[in-house]
């Protein structure tokens, strides 16, 4: 049985939800998001809570139960607080700066990397060695941060590259004479 699915999703202040069939639409101060659930679950709103219940006891229904509940919670958090991923850049000469909607990265290549900001995400560079990705869609924020990190992943010998803030990079010992 799903333990996550049993918990109802509390809607924060200023957030409203509306269920139409299998589609739930959540509105909040940061925007509007919707999610279409499978036919294996039912969604109901009562007293500022969204409750998800499975239709039947099949394995798929139980899987969708917990997943749907998590998706609804992510919608509620996204439209009220939003999601944020912070990246750190380490390495001599490695830096980032915003120029309009383009993130310009100097990562030791013979050219600058220009990363266009996709719709629905805000990218800022408060320092030359920091990049902050923010938005209301958790999946999109995480994917954009991963795409930026992909340009120069942290290497294990000197630790140079783009890493998530607080990420531990396993270091290897270099060659010995």
């Amino acid at each position: 049985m799903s333990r996550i699915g049993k918990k109802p999703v509390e809607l924060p202040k200023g957030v409203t939800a509306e269920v139409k069939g299998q589609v739930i639409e959540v509105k909040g101060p940061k925007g509007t998001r919707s999610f279409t659930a499978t036919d294996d679950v039912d969604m109901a709103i009562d007293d500022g809570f969204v409750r998800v219940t499975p239709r039947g006891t099949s394995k798929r229904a139980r899987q969708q139960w917990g997943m749907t509940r998590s998706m609804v919670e992510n919608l509620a958090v996204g439209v009220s607080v939003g999601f944020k991923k912070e990246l750190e850049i380490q390495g001599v000469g490695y830096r980032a700066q915003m120029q309009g909607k383009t993130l310009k990265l100097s990562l030791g290549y013979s050219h600058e990397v220009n990363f266009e900001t996709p719709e629905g995400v805000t990218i800022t560079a408060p320092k030359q060695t920091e990049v902050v990705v923010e938005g209301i869609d958790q999946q999109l924020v995480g994917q954009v941060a991963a795409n930026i990190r992909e340009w120069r992943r942290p290497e294990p010998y000197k630790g140079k590259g783009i890493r998530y803030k607080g990420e531990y990079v396993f270091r290897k010992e270099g060659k010995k004479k």
Side-chain angles (χ1 to χ4, degrees):
M1 296 295 278
S2 173
R3 285 176 278 178
I4 290 176
K6 288 179 185 177
K7 291 203 262 176
V9 177
E10 184 177 355
L11 297 174
K13 279 191 173 154
V15 175
T16 59
E18 190 178 340
V19 176
K20 292 178 186 165
Q22 291 302 102
V23 178
I24 184 166
E25 189 174 281
V26 182
K27 294 178 185 171
K30 292 204 175 236
T32 303
R33 300 260 304 124
S34 65
F35 172 71
T36 305
T38 62
D39 291 330
D40 297 311
V41 294
D42 285 321
M43 293 181 286
I45 301 170
D46 55 297
D47 305 342
F49 289 94
V50 178
R51 296 186 193 285
V52 181
T53 53
R55 290 182 184 168
T57 57
S58 68
K59 184 174 182 180
R60 179 169 164 78
R62 288 181 288 126
Q63 291 170 338
Q64 294 298 317
W65 184 20
M67 193 272 305
T68 302
R69 190 254 180 223
S70 296
M71 293 298 287
V72 171
E73 184 179 40
N74 288 340
L75 295 181
V77 170
V79 297
S80 62
V81 180
F83 294 100
K84 179 170 156 180
K85 288 275 187 183
E86 297 179 16
L87 301 166
E88 296 175 330
I89 300 174
Q90 290 190 352
V92 177
Y94 289 12
R95 62 182 169 270
Q97 66 180 21
M98 283 302 293
Q99 208 166 55
K101 284 192 157 268
T102 304
L103 176 67
K104 295 200 174 280
L105 298 165
S106 299
L107 298 172
Y109 295 118
S110 60
H111 55 85
E112 259 189 357
V113 174
N114 295 328
F115 187 83
E116 291 295 325
T117 305
E119 200 65 41
V121 174
T122 307
I123 299 176
T124 55
K127 297 181 191 169
Q128 285 189 340
T129 58
E130 282 183 20
V131 177
V132 179
V133 182
E134 294 176 292
I136 63 171
D137 184 355
Q138 184 183 31
Q139 192 276 329
L140 186 61
V141 168
Q143 187 61 54
V144 169
N147 291 346
I148 293 171
R149 183 179 183 269
E150 197 66 27
W151 280 102
R152 186 67 93 179
R153 279 187 261 144
E155 54 95 21
Y157 296 102
K158 291 185 179 178
K160 294 169 28 173
I162 303 173
R163 63 178 77 181
Y164 296 110
K165 193 166 200 160
E167 178 184 2
Y168 175 75
V169 176
F170 182 75
R171 301 294 287 274
K172 293 181 178 178
E173 195 174 327
K175 284 188 199 175
K176 293 186 178 167
K177 287 188 179 185

